[in-house]
């Protein structure tokens, strides 16, 4: 929504985006009285009712694996400030999600597959008073892999990082990427939560990107048509140079070090790759056009769809790719979005799928509401193979002390020391394999780094030397990959011995050995989920243009609430990169669920612009609200450049609120 101040000022807020990453509880300094109106209630009878509020109508539910997709028709009344969707497991509250007063859809996530729930949709006034609910019972489905699934992941696991055994996760930023004073771990996030996962980027101006690569390649050798499927939400700002979600298919022998390699705002710079995204146009209804970009043996082509796709924030829809060596088709929510017929067959028969999230100059998007805190919600990654394929066990053995997420920044990898082989001597990297090594199907060695003469020698367990052709320059922006004979691996301790010539200069790091086994993965089907202590904000994106004629002091407001179950959740609020002109109305408190009278609690951000001058690009500020299992991030762009007018934005789009369950391949819940 757009708020006008002094007829020349605009504050653009993108409504309702959930933002997380796993942190501990903050210190409770003082309690917020509004949030503590009810602290011991554990039954819905404690709801603060407002009998004058009309109720939503027409509730419909689409059951999914661990999600209930809920749609309804909102009531219209001046007293309605919000709506709320609450999910109950019998007498136990699971979650309460607050959405805008005109919202028509929400997804209740983090539920148990194959379990029955009651969903209640309320109108809510500004004081937290609730209408009589419109309610409906529904049971979730249990989604199984598609037929001949060569890879399947439903993310029905505990919150946190994606498993480094199954996923190669890499982030990268350019010099000058804002905010410069906030580390990558807080502004480039990939994390599982509520049985799906999120990617998040805060800032922009310079390049920032991340990718997620399932470590199992897809096999096209039999010439058949393959299917890839995931889910993500399609934001209204896809047309900016930072395209947000993309799906890439790359030659298995040539994996990029970063999604930057696909091109600035394009996807066809990387040789032997195919990119599927939603982009195109110059804003408004012409944006969000589906796009396929190909680079086949150096020949680049683009295929642009004609229909724009939009979803409300945090509403995922099925994304499906059908492809062979001669064609590719992208389907969104069951509809054919764009098709590409290749001029020549793909010159490779095995490739990796990569999910990318890229942010390039995101704050300069002056066509739609600017999004400083970019969030994409994803679920399910699966693809099939030849007849008889199955979802295998994968193990990845990573250099000691190096984290599972690879963060490339300014010529180094964060938290991972360089390994420099002594000239003419060995550098030994131990690898302990607890699985039966005789069942290994494939093994790939990967590391970042260079060798001045372009060569290293490798021995695996004192076997025959293998000559590795290594990049001759760079450090962070090089990923070296090599197939390793599985016959050289053994159960227990393995040694990777690197040797270099006495005159050669070498620096490598982030050594990873990823091994796919001829064993079928057994997914966790005994998952028991309960309500988690979680927080939420009603808005977490702000662009503030302080214009020449504006007063010095301005206050922006978001609202915090408890999205979890019955537990009282204490929280703290902090500025990750403090600015002298910004103060917060509170730094701590505690929140009760809106289902028990907690309502929403304002967080006021006061800006004093006396003597402040930023520039045309502005300051990017990050506010973090710590509490429960996940914090809330708020991104703020402040532009105080002496301008006399602020940009105007397109804020209303024809959003798709339905979830076409039939679009999921082989869905048999």
């Amino acid at each position: 929504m757009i708020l006008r101040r002094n007829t020349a000022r605009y504050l653009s807020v993108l409504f309702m985006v959930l933002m997380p990453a796993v942190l501990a509880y903050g210190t409770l300094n003082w309690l917020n009285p509004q949030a503590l109106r009810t602290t011991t209630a554990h039954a819905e009878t404690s709801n603060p009712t407002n009998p004058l509020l009309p109720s939503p109508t027409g509730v419909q539910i689409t059951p999914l694996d661990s999600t209930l997709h809920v749609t309804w028709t909102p009531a219209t009344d001046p007293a309605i400030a919000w709506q709320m969707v609450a999910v109950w497991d019998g007498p136990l509250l699971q979650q309460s999600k607050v959405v805008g007063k005109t919202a028509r859809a929400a997804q209740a996530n983090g539920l148990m597959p194959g379990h029955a729930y009651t969903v209640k949709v309320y109108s809510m006034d500004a004081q937290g008073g609730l209408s009589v609910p419109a309610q409906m019972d529904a049971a979730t489905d249990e989604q199984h892999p598609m037929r001949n699934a060569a890879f399947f992941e439903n993310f029905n696991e505990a919150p946190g990082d994606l498993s480094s055994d199954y996923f190669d996760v890499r982030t990268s930023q350019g010099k000058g990427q804002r905010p410069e004073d906030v580390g990558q771990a807080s502004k480039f996030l990939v994390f599982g939560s509520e049985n799906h996962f999120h990617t998040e980027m805060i800032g922009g101006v310079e390049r920032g990107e991340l990718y997620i690569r399932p470590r199992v390649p897809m096999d096209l050798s039999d010439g058949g048509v393959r299917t890839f499927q995931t889910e993500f939400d399609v934001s209204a700002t896809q047309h900016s140079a930072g395209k947000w979600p993309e799906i890439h298919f790359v030659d298995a022998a040539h994996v990029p070090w970063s999604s930057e390699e696909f091109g600035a705002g394009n996807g066809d710079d990387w040789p032997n790759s195919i990119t599927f995204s939603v982009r195109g146009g110059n804003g408004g209804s012409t944006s969000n056009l589906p796009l396929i970009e190909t680079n086949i043996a150096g020949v680049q082509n683009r295929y642009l769809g004609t229909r724009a796709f939009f979803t409300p924030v945090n509403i995922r829809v099925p994304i499906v790719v059908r492809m062979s060596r001669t064609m590719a088709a992208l389907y969104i929510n069951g509809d054919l979005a764009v098709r590409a017929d290749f001029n020549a067959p793909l010159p490779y028969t095995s490739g990796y799928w990569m999910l990318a999230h890229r942010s390039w100059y995101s704050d300069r998007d002056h066509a739609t509401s600017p999004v400083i805190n970019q969030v994409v919600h994803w679920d399910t990654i699966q693809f099939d193979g030849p007849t008889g394929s199955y979802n295998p066990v994968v193990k990845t053995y990573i250099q000691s002390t190096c984290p599972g997420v690879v963060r490339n920044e300014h010529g180094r990898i964060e938290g991972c020391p360089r390994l420099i082989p002594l000239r003419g001597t060995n550098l030994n990297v131990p690898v302990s394999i607890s699985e039966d090594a005789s069942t290994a199907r494939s093994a790939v060695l990967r590391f970042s780094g260079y060798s001045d003469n372009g060569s290293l020698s490798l021995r695996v367990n004192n076997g025959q030397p293998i000559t590795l052709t290594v990049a001759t320059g760079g450090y962070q922006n090089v990923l070296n990959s090599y197939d390793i004979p599985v016959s050289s691996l053994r159960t227990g301790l393995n040694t990777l011995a690197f040797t270099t010539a006495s005159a050669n200069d070498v620096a490598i790091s982030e050594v990873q050995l990823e091994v796919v086994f001829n064993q079928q993965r057994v997914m966790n089907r005994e998952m028991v989920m309960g309500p988690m202590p979680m927080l939420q904000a009603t808005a977490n994106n702000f662009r503030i243009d302080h214009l020449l004629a504006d007063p010095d002091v301005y206050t922006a407001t978001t609202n915090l609430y408890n999205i979890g179950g019955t537990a009282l959740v204490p929280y703290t609020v902090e500025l990750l990169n403090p600015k002298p002109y910004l103060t917060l109305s509170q730094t701590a408190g505690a929140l009760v669920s809106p289902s028990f009278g907690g309502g929403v609690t304002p967080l006021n951000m006061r800006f004093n612009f006396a003597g402040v001058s930023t520039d045309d690009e502005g300051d990017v500020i990050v506010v973090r609200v710590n509490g429960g299992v996940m914090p809330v991030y708020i991104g703020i762009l402040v532009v105080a450049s002496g301008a006399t007018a602020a940009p105007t934005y397109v804020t209303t789009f024809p959003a798709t609120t339905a979830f076409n369950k039939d679009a999921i391949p082989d869905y048999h819940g």
Side-chain angles (χ1 to χ4, degrees), residues 507-583:
I508 65 175
S509 73
E510 193 63 42
V511 176
Q512 298 190 1
L513 180 66
E514 56 187 48
V515 182
V516 180
F517 291 89
N518 284 317
Q519 300 177 36
Q520 188 162 0
R521 182 184 179 189
V522 178
M523 306 294 289
N524 178 18
R525 299 183 63 185
E526 302 299 325
M527 178 188 59
V528 177
M529 296 293 294
M532 293 188 297
M534 296 170 54
L535 300 180
Q536 174 64 290
T538 56
N540 72 342
N541 276 283
F542 293 85
R543 175 181 168 123
I544 299 174
D545 289 279
H546 186 259
L547 304 178
L548 196 62
D550 283 344
D552 287 338
V553 178
Y554 176 70
T555 299
T557 301
T558 187
N559 296 279
L560 308 178
Y561 70 94
N562 181 342
I563 194 175
T566 60
L568 174 72
V569 179
Y571 66 90
T572 59
V573 187
E574 61 179 321
L575 291 168
L576 296 190
N577 51 342
K579 304 295 180 182
Y581 55 82
L582 173 59
T583 56

Side-chain angles (χ1 to χ4, degrees), residues 115-130:
H115 195 79
Y117 296 92
T118 298
V119 176
K120 302 182 180 183
V121 185
Y122 302 83
S123 302
M124 187 167 79
D125 62 25
Q127 291 71 45
L130 302 174

